[in-house]
Amino acid sequence: MAEVAPPEAERERFVLSVDGLEALLVALRGDGWRLMGPTVRDGAIDHAEIRGVADLPRGMTEVQEAGTYRLARREDGAFFGYAVGPRSWKQLLFVPKLRLFRAHRQEDGFQVEPESTEPPRLALIGARSCDLHAIAVQDRTFLEGPYKDPDYAARRERLFVVAVNCGQAGGTCFCVSMRTGPRATSGFDVALTELLEGGHRFLAEPGSERGAALLARVGAIPAREPDARAADAVVERTAQSMGRAMDTTDIKGLLYRNQEHPRWDNVSERCLGCTNCTLVCPTCFCSSVEDTTDLVGGVAERSRRWDSCFTLDHSYLHGGSVRHSIRSRYRQWLTHKVASWWDQFGTSGCIGCGRCITWCPVGIDITEEVAAIRATDGARPGA
Amino acid sequence: MARRKKPSLAVWKFASCDGCQLTLLDLEDELLALADAVHIAYFAEATSTALKGPYDLSLVDGSITTPADAVRIREVRRASRYLVSIGACATAGGIQALRNFRDVREFLSTVYAKPEYIETLATSTAIADHVPVDFELRGCPIDKRQLLEVLSAFLNGRRPNIPAHSVCVECKLRGNVCVMVTGTPCLGPVTHAGCGALCPTYHRGCYGCFGPMEAPNTPSLARAFQAAGRSETELVRSFRNFNANAPAFREESERHDE
Ligand code: SF4
Ligand code: SF4
């Protein structure tokens, strides 16, 4: 877990060359961290295990809109010139499938064989501010409630985070509205800002002691004022070019008083109930527990896998599903995400990454749905 | 475990290619364990032994296309404690249900020299359209891991762990990049999971082999296909496939077929 960062104003900033970035990645690997960073895979910039700078999506970017994602080239050779990809870091912390235990039948009763896998030590390379906020949101769910999730906790402890301040906003990004970016302010060991003008280099900011030690080891030099200003300008420009915006004024009240708004009927004609929005969302945390047996009933297994409030089984109680219509399922998801999450966890469940907009096969846009309800606040069916 | 008597298993064929019942033989690694766990009483593809019922569990492959089969399926039902229909033919009428959209007499006179010798029904229909079914296992063909799960569940008296949600969930569990969002129309968002997202994993759109998912919104997906440039004819073909007669797919194909 990243250590507590010193207050922003006191943080010293450094400059790292492109070779310095390679040295940083090599040093992390040398220290036994597995590097998980951006790379081009199946038509998208997605994270996977990388070995060094050569695996980064240099000169690549993407065009994201509601329901579409296309890779594109850029001329400036940027390493981190894209926004967020199809999968968040949730994939690595709250893993999609997890075996919880196996049980073997004995002469009298059964014996439980617990799972005992030590998770890998991962270095996240290129994590964005919105996604670091998402990790903090999931921490509240998995670590800070009455029950701690042991698997999540173990994975979470074995993380090193190299953040990147966004040099460009994606077409569906709205972190500025959610106050989660584009500049990383906490939850990292090192934060980089890629500078492309006046020589390709990075402004590097340590967020922990081990981050500062790493920067010193790989030859980062103290930044001069113009470099620091250039980095601030990059982030400022990104903040000015958000693809989307969401007005969050009294958003809880807005959604709570509009549970019968006709917009829910409208969205239910479009929503497929396919679950994509929830599974790509970096904060959605639902899972289902499944038991299986072998043919003769000698071995049983319990596992956990991602689930979604869009499946009928998710709300299945004795006699049927509580949220039978798509209308009620979409309403549940959106209302939980931006309103009742506050009651439950003291924070918004949405951090404005835009994934649910891009990766919805029919392009349903959370910002547009909220705006539509706000525009006709209080409307009733048939009105 | 001490069982008093091994349960008996029967496997029945109706109108089908037999692929689904062969999935049972394809369970190579588990076949011995299965032979240990059940008593195979009737399975024409595997053995000429044919024991009389009643049977504890019957697997039924194929659809009902002839008057004789419509009678035979009732006999199978009467002789079976549990009846599980397996595959798109048995659960939706199969590819042969394309006849349901046309006049079968025309086919008969085109295909057969002496159509008067052929006794057939006007439609191909699912087993559940004729007799009560305890469980339907989808797929063209069925997935062998799912078949094993259904067998284990029935043998252990528990509910099969066969989710009815979209293929999208399987893509996300595998970490696939969505093919639809990156440019290839895909039936996954309205299709029942089970294959493990086979086609999207190889960068193809889903063909809908497992039929409609729970509460599918086919009109919305059809609009997205249209926006991606699919013609009405192509839309009819997309939904009128191995699961053409499954109600949600049938209705959607009819909306585009004037
Ligand atoms: S609700 Fe959408 S925009 Fe908000 S965090 Fe989840 S995926 Fe990102
Ligand atoms: S909002 Fe989009 S991604 Fe989410 S369930 Fe509906 S159709 Fe699927």
Side-chain angles (χ1 to χ4, degrees):
Chain A
M1 208 176 300
E3 295 150 36
V4 180
E8 241 179 284
E10 290 167 28
R11 280 185 211 163
E12 204 181 341
R13 303 210 270 178
F14 298 86
V15 170
L16 198 63
S17 64
V18 169
D19 288 344
L21 176 65
E22 176 70 5
L24 183 143
L25 298 180
V26 168
L28 281 171
R29 270 181 48 213
D31 290 348
W33 297 99
R34 234 162 93 184
L35 308 182
M36 302 303 294
T39 192
V40 173
R41 177 180 81 93
D42 294 345
I45 299 170
D46 189 18
H47 58 72
E49 180 158 11
I50 58 167
R51 302 191 57 78
V53 163
D55 291 333
L56 295 175
R58 182 165 206 178
M60 296 302 291
T61 187
E62 87 282 71
V63 180
Q64 298 196 41
E65 256 314 317
T68 75
Y69 180 107
R70 297 288 182 276
L71 276 180
R73 300 211 161 268
R74 51 187 296 155
E75 297 308 319
D76 54 16
F79 289 105
F80 298 101
Y82 60 92
V84 291
R87 299 186 302 164
S88 71
W89 306 109
K90 167 169 103 172
Q91 203 87 20
L92 304 173
L93 297 172
F94 167 49
V95 295
K97 288 188 230 170
L98 182 69
R99 187 161 72 196
L100 300 173
F101 65 79
R102 279 157 73 90
H104 301 267
R105 191 185 287 277
Q106 313 270 277
E107 287 287 306
D108 47 352
F110 56 89
Q111 196 193 356
V112 172
E113 175 197 328
E115 290 297 308
S116 57
T117 43
E118 169 112 338
R121 294 172 75 223
L122 301 179
L124 312 185
I125 310 299
R128 304 308 171 101
S129 180
C130 60
D131 279 348
L132 296 179
H133 279 84
I135 293 175
V137 170
Q138 284 213 324
D139 283 352
R140 297 200 185 201
T141 306
F142 292 124
L143 303 177
E144 291 162 28
Y147 305 102
K148 217 175 182 174
D149 184 290
D151 188 73
Y152 181 90
R155 293 174 192 277
R156 188 72 179 81
E157 272 161 21
R158 292 167 175 77
L159 274 197
F160 190 99
V161 177
V162 178
V164 164
N165 292 324
C166 297
Q168 143 179 343
T172 57
C173 289
F174 57 106
C175 63
V176 167
S177 303
M178 307 314 284
R179 291 167 207 85
T180 56
R183 181 198 170 102
T185 53
S186 64
F188 58 82
D189 293 286
V190 173
L192 304 174
T193 309
E194 187 165 22
L195 301 174
L196 296 159
E197 283 146 37
H200 199 167
R201 65 207 187 284
F202 297 89
L203 192 90
E205 186 184 320
S208 67
E209 301 214 341
R210 61 184 186 179
L214 177 68
L215 285 176
R217 257 168 76 200
V218 300
I221 51 168
R224 292 170 302 120
E225 189 51 31
D227 288 329
R229 268 210 308 278
D232 291 342
V234 166
V235 175
E236 186 46 38
R237 204 173 53 221
T238 305
Q240 296 302 328
S241 56
M242 287 285 121
R244 294 284 195 280
M246 187 194 281
D247 177 359
T248 58
T249 318
D250 182 33
I251 195 154
K252 248 173 67 176
L254 177 73
L255 288 163
Y256 286 174
R257 67 179 173 264
N258 282 291
Q259 288 177 23
E260 300 305 328
H261 197 284
R263 185 70 183 188
W264 303 119
D265 296 311
N266 173 297
V267 76
S268 78
E269 281 166 20
R270 290 172 282 135
C271 176
L272 303 162
C274 65
T275 77
N276 280 299
C277 49
T278 55
L279 301 181
V280 296
C281 178
T283 69
C284 275
F285 57 79
C286 286
S287 62
S288 169
V289 171
E290 294 176 339
D291 290 338
T292 53
T293 53
D294 67 353
L295 284 167
V296 294
V299 184
E301 232 179 73
R302 173 162 294 181
S303 53
R304 180 184 88 184
R305 65 160 177 89
W306 284 357
D307 197 7
S308 164
C309 52
F310 281 92
T311 71
L312 282 177
D313 254 0
H314 187 79
S315 70
Y316 189 91
L317 299 179
H318 176 75
S321 289
V322 175
R323 287 187 284 271
H324 192 74
S325 65
I326 289 192
R327 175 183 186 273
S328 64
R329 281 178 268 154
Y330 186 86
R331 181 180 64 183
Q332 157 66 23
W333 176 69
L334 177 56
T335 307
H336 187 211
K337 205 88 291 204
V338 298
S340 50
W341 210 289
W342 283 101
D343 295 331
Q344 196 180 1
F345 299 109
T347 175
S348 169
C350 173
I351 48 79
C353 69
R355 285 189 180 87
C356 58
I357 308 173
T358 299
W359 299 98
C360 171
V362 291
I364 294 173
D365 178 342
I366 186 171
T367 64
E368 191 184 316
E369 297 311 313
V370 170
I373 290 172
R374 194 179 287 284
T376 47
D377 190 355
R380 286 288 171 270
Chain B
M1 187 176 46
R3 278 186 200 283
R4 247 164 281 135
K5 197 168 150 274
K6 275 199 208 175
S8 58
L9 175 73
V11 184
W12 306 96
K13 176 194 162 58
F14 287 81
S16 74
C17 76
D18 281 24
C20 288
Q21 53 172 297
L22 287 173
T23 305
L24 203 60
L25 296 177
D26 198 26
L27 283 172
E28 289 162 358
D29 295 338
E30 296 83 11
L31 209 49
L32 290 178
L34 181 66
D36 245 9
V38 300
H39 179 65
I40 297 181
Y42 182 86
F43 186 8
E45 282 275 17
T47 164
S48 48
T49 317
L51 301 178
K52 283 217 160 52
Y55 311 98
D56 291 307
L57 175 61
S58 276
L59 298 179
V60 176
D61 150 334
S63 67
I64 304 300
T65 56
T66 66
D69 276 356
V71 172
R72 187 163 62 99
I73 188 61
R74 288 171 201 281
E75 289 161 8
V76 169
R77 176 70 266 191
R78 263 196 298 277
S80 312
R81 182 155 171 243
Y82 292 116
L83 188 157
V84 173
S85 50
I86 59 169
C89 299
T91 61
I95 190 73
Q96 60 274 27
L98 288 177
R99 70 161 72 168
N100 303 8
F101 299 87
R102 297 286 181 270
D103 185 349
V104 79
R105 283 166 309 183
E106 277 176 41
F107 293 142
L108 287 181
S109 53
T110 319
V111 175
Y112 297 100
K114 295 209 174 293
E116 61 276 19
Y117 289 162
I118 306 293
E119 210 182 327
T120 190
L121 296 170
T123 56
S124 168
T125 44
I127 300 303
D129 292 338
H130 298 264
V131 295
V133 163
D134 296 293
F135 192 78
E136 292 189 306
L137 181 62
R138 305 284 203 85
C140 182
I142 55 169
D143 175 88
K144 67 179 188 179
R145 288 157 302 143
Q146 287 208 321
L147 176 61
L148 193 64
E149 166 59 18
V150 168
L151 290 170
S152 305
F154 275 89
L155 294 177
N156 287 290
R158 63 177 172 85
R159 182 179 169 222
N161 209 334
I162 305 287
H165 55 52
S166 66
V167 172
C168 303
V169 177
E170 300 190 299
C171 265
K172 291 295 181 275
L173 292 176
R174 289 185 78 139
N176 289 347
V177 174
C178 177
V179 298
M180 175 118 177
V181 169
T182 48
T184 307
C186 174
L187 281 175
V190 296
T191 299
H192 194 291
C195 63
L198 199 54
C199 292
T201 301
Y202 294 94
H203 316 129
R204 307 298 293 262
C206 167
Y207 294 93
C209 307
F210 281 58
M213 67 185 264
E214 58 185 19
N217 188 347
T218 52
S220 175
L221 190 71
R223 284 193 297 271
F225 276 35
Q226 283 165 332
R230 289 269 170 109
S231 67
E232 290 293 281
T233 315
E234 287 168 318
L235 274 171
V236 172
R237 290 210 184 115
S238 298
F239 288 100
R240 200 170 283 174
N241 222 314
F242 323 106
N243 289 281
N245 202 46
F249 284 6
R250 185 184 62 223
E251 285 156 25
E252 195 54 45
S253 79
E254 282 168 346
R255 274 194 273 275
H256 304 280
D257 186 22
E258 65 304 40

